[in-house]
Amino acid sequence: MLLSAILVAFLAIISQWWFFAPITRCMTYPLTTGIIVGIFMGHPMLGMLAGANIQLVYLGWINAGGVMPSNTMVAGIYGTALTILSGANPKLAVTFAIPFSLLGLLMVQIYQTLNSFWVHRADQELDKGNVNAIRWLNYLPSFIVAFVVYGIPAFCLVLFGKNWATALINAIPKELTTALEVVGGLMPALGIAMLLNYLGKRSLNAYFIIGFFLAVYLKLDIMAIAIFSAAIAFLVFMSQTNKKSTSSTPSKKKVKRLTLNNRTGVDEEPLPTSNFNQQNDTIDSANYKRKLSHKDLVKTWLWEQADEAAYNYERLQALGLTNMMIHPIKKLYDDPQKQALELKKYMVFFNTEPHMVGPIIHGVALSMEEARANGQNVSEDDINGVRTGLMGPAAGIGDTVQQGIFFPILASVGASLALSGNYLGPVLFTVVFELVIYTIGYLLFMFGYNKGKSSVVQILKNGVIDKVTNAFSIVGLMVVGSMAATRIAVRSPLVWEVGKSTMKLQSILNQLAPGLIPLGVTLLIWWLVAKKVNPTWIILGIFFFGILLSYLNVLGVVS
């Protein structure tokens, strides 16, 4: 058990200490960490099932602009560990995980507050010309904080928690255990509803209903529906692409994007692209004496994967991005004092989607740094102006596509496979998700460097982004529809006598349309989310009404 405690503690540390994103990115997701905790604790199947059940609750929880609505890292790791320690039904994992996720919000506040101190120390070291100090300031202090805040509690939970966890489960009456399973069956509706509130558009909402009833009536599994929806999305995309414009007037259509100033995904006017193209971006690099090689660019991209290692409330990604720029700045300037001076401009507040679309900004910055080092008329304010101007649009596109579309589609498929006992579920989710986002991120990083700041203008102006987003939204809505039909695992056991006849509520509902209870629950919670009801209150309501309706024999779990 000591080895298990050490391994789970290390997993808990790197779930928040993002020292290298390709390793740590999916450690924020219960679907990935559940099976890893299970392997570490000798119960891989139970760990996978617990993690998949927990993941369903958090399908629609999107972290944007430094705001974390719930700590899914703590929920997945701690909730799975407690499920294994107690030997509980994996459906109960959700009820264990949610309290931990709320406690985890306090943990992340402590972590990101303490990390703010290292930023000021980095300022002081750059004033001294000590460039190399940025490296250890980005990694070591944040590791120590993650070790104390995340690692030690996880270690203690696994090493000392078995007896009290088992005693806790044994002390729960059978009726309450059943009621908590009902709560677990209802809870995925919250994640689905939050995702629908984000993806849903009046013109596309019908695809959710299509996905739901394909699963209910035709009994199609989620993979079949994903393939079917992808074909539909492709046809819609091609139809929109080939449609000729009837007007030369630029569209004023509002779009739904997450940015630093719009963290809820509400509709907003599209960002004007003309502001980014106010001067000639063409730079003749034939006579550059200082050039960055392809190898230098790859190294910089790899260093960029640690841009959130010391993520903090004061300047968010600033310290990590300064660490990223050490290598190219050293290649462009020989004088250590000059290197420190050039790096100072990156020690300002900065935050964007870091892995998929955001890297294009860093590629643009590198092209401008190279021009500046070779005597071109590129000022410090020019570089930071472009970075600051682009971080919002890049975050809007990146968070929309990555967290709002790619993740829920892949996580839904992965969780469904996992809940059917297939180990490929979390493996395929993790591998495909990371392969997609880091391949796109690498290509956009190189594209940004090669094209300069006009590259983002090209992407924003051509209108393809909205069409691609709509196409993926169709896939997402149909997949989520099938999830609502199959993973909100509640039914009604209510039976009453009418004369000599026995009436079963579930049978009556099935004659109207199968799956009406899961559909009704989803639509109700979707309505509450749309009305801006705090998710914490919704969670408490699910607990209260789930337990109440279970005791009244109105709701039960699907066997």
Side-chain angles (χ1 to χ4, degrees):
M1 190 58 73
L2 177 62
L3 178 60
S4 295
I6 293 172
L7 292 173
V8 172
F10 181 70
L11 182 63
I13 290 169
I14 65 173
S15 73
Q16 177 62 70
W17 180 56
W18 301 325
F19 70 96
F20 187 65
I23 294 175
T24 62
R25 180 65 183 91
C26 283
M27 300 308 158
T28 62
Y29 297 130
L31 181 58
T32 300
T33 55
I35 189 172
I36 297 174
V37 170
I39 292 171
F40 288 166
M41 298 182 67
H43 297 277
M45 179 59 70
L46 180 54
M48 179 179 70
L49 293 174
N53 275 291
I54 296 169
Q55 184 65 79
L56 294 181
V57 181
Y58 297 106
L59 280 178
W61 296 72
I62 297 174
N63 302 328
V67 175
M68 182 176 290
S70 188
N71 195 323
T72 59
M73 298 94 77
V74 171
I77 295 172
Y78 287 56
T80 300
L82 188 57
T83 303
I84 294 172
L85 287 170
S86 62
N89 187 316
K91 292 182 180 179
L92 290 177
V94 172
T95 62
F96 295 147
I98 287 175
F100 279 121
S101 73
L102 299 177
L103 176 63
L105 292 178
L106 175 61
M107 297 166 74
V108 79
Q109 289 170 1
I110 295 172
Y111 178 78
Q112 294 187 20
T113 299
L114 291 178
N115 278 345
S116 299
F117 291 103
W118 325 135
V119 178
H120 295 284
R121 179 65 184 276
D123 288 334
Q124 296 169 8
E125 294 298 333
L126 287 178
D127 287 337
K128 299 175 185 176
N130 188 3
V131 171
N132 293 327
I134 301 300
R135 287 268 192 255
W136 70 265
L137 282 170
N138 189 54
Y139 296 105
L140 183 58
S142 56
F143 169 79
I144 294 172
V145 177
F147 175 83
V148 173
V149 175
Y150 287 85
I152 292 178
F155 177 84
C156 294
L157 174 65
V158 175
L159 191 62
F160 305 117
K162 182 174 179 58
N163 291 334
W164 65 261
T166 305
L168 175 65
I169 290 296
N170 292 335
I172 299 176
K174 183 179 180 181
E175 293 80 6
L176 182 56
T177 300
T178 301
L180 290 175
E181 289 180 358
V182 170
V183 171
L186 289 170
M187 202 61 74
L190 175 58
I192 291 170
M194 294 181 70
L195 194 56
L196 288 171
N197 190 57
Y198 178 67
L199 288 176
K201 301 177 182 178
R202 288 187 177 181
S203 61
L204 299 179
N205 286 342
Y207 290 103
F208 166 74
I209 302 298
I210 293 171
F212 184 92
F213 285 107
L214 282 175
V216 167
Y217 282 109
L218 300 183
K219 307 299 181 184
L220 296 180
D221 61 30
I222 194 168
M223 186 62 73
I225 291 176
I227 295 171
F228 183 55
S229 62
I232 294 176
F234 177 75
L235 293 175
V236 171
F237 174 79
M238 293 304 297
S239 174
Q240 292 177 341
T241 302
N242 295 331
K243 188 182 296 183
K244 293 183 179 180
S245 175
T246 58
S247 172
S248 60
T249 305
S251 173
K252 296 296 184 180
K253 180 183 177 182
K254 293 185 177 181
V255 295
K256 183 173 287 189
R257 293 197 180 107
L258 295 173
T259 67
L260 286 172
N261 297 320
N262 178 12
R263 294 168 174 169
T264 60
V266 298
D267 289 348
E268 60 178 20
E269 295 292 342
L271 182 76
T273 58
S274 59
N275 293 338
F276 295 112
N277 199 26
Q278 294 178 348
Q279 58 183 348
N280 186 3
D281 300 311
T282 304
I283 299 175
D284 183 6
S285 60
N287 298 320
Y288 280 3
K289 296 180 180 180
R290 297 277 183 170
K291 285 188 66 68
L292 297 172
S293 66
H294 181 74
K295 184 177 180 181
D296 294 327
L297 296 175
V298 172
K299 283 184 177 180
T300 304
W301 177 75
L302 290 173
W303 281 115
E304 190 262 336
Q305 305 310 316
D307 64 345
E308 294 184 315
Y311 200 72
N312 61 89
Y313 281 130
E314 183 174 329
R315 302 187 212 173
L316 300 178
Q317 298 169 358
L319 182 54
L321 293 177
T322 306
N323 175 69
M324 173 196 74
M325 292 300 297
I326 290 176
H327 176 75
I329 290 296
K330 282 186 172 182
K331 291 297 297 282
L332 294 173
Y333 302 96
D334 295 325
D335 181 12
Q337 292 297 327
K338 180 63 174 175
Q339 293 169 2
L341 184 64
E342 293 297 327
L343 285 172
K344 281 184 179 181
K345 63 176 167 289
Y346 292 94
M347 286 298 298
V348 297
F349 175 92
F350 189 90
N351 195 51
T352 194
E353 183 280 311
H355 307 306
M356 192 174 76
V357 176
I360 196 171
I361 302 175
H362 312 315
V364 171
L366 282 176
S367 70
M368 298 180 74
E369 284 286 2
E370 192 177 60
R372 175 175 167 83
N374 285 276
Q376 296 286 344
N377 186 24
V378 178
S379 69
E380 177 180 317
D381 290 339
D382 289 335
I383 295 174
N384 266 342
V386 169
R387 292 174 71 241
T388 303
L390 295 181
M391 71 179 182
I397 298 170
D399 287 332
T400 297
V401 177
Q402 183 191 142
Q403 295 190 61
I405 297 176
F406 280 152
F407 161 69
I409 292 173
L410 295 174
S412 297
V413 174
S416 290
L417 290 173
L419 290 171
S420 66
N422 193 333
Y423 286 113
L424 284 177
V427 174
L428 285 177
F429 160 71
T430 303
V431 171
V432 174
F433 182 69
E434 294 209 354
L435 185 64
V436 168
I437 64 174
Y438 291 112
T439 298
I440 294 175
Y442 174 80
L443 293 175
L444 287 181
F445 180 88
M446 296 299 177
F447 183 78
Y449 170 78
N450 290 324
K451 298 295 184 180
K453 67 179 180 178
S454 62
S455 58
V456 178
V457 180
Q458 295 173 18
I459 292 175
L460 293 176
K461 285 173 70 176
N462 58 23
V464 172
I465 290 295
D466 288 335
K467 296 173 186 175
V468 171
T469 299
N470 278 342
F472 278 108
S473 293
I474 291 171
V475 179
L477 286 166
M478 291 185 67
V479 168
V480 169
S482 70
M483 293 293 292
T486 57
R487 297 307 171 190
I488 301 176
V490 292
R491 57 181 294 276
S492 178
L494 185 62
V495 176
W496 68 91
E497 301 289 337
V498 179
K500 295 183 179 180
S501 301
T502 300
M503 306 292 291
K504 296 181 180 181
L505 178 59
Q506 188 64 54
S507 297
I508 296 173
L509 294 175
N510 287 344
Q511 290 175 5
L512 296 173
L516 283 181
I517 292 179
L519 180 61
V521 170
T522 302
L523 295 178
L524 173 61
I525 298 179
W526 185 7
W527 179 77
L528 292 173
V529 171
K531 292 296 183 180
K532 310 298 182 185
V533 177
N534 190 307
T536 302
W537 287 109
I538 297 177
I539 289 172
L540 294 175
I542 291 174
F543 267 95
F544 176 79
F545 286 105
I547 293 172
L548 176 64
L549 294 176
S550 175
Y551 272 94
L552 293 175
N553 205 39
V554 175
L555 286 182
V557 294
V558 176
S559 58

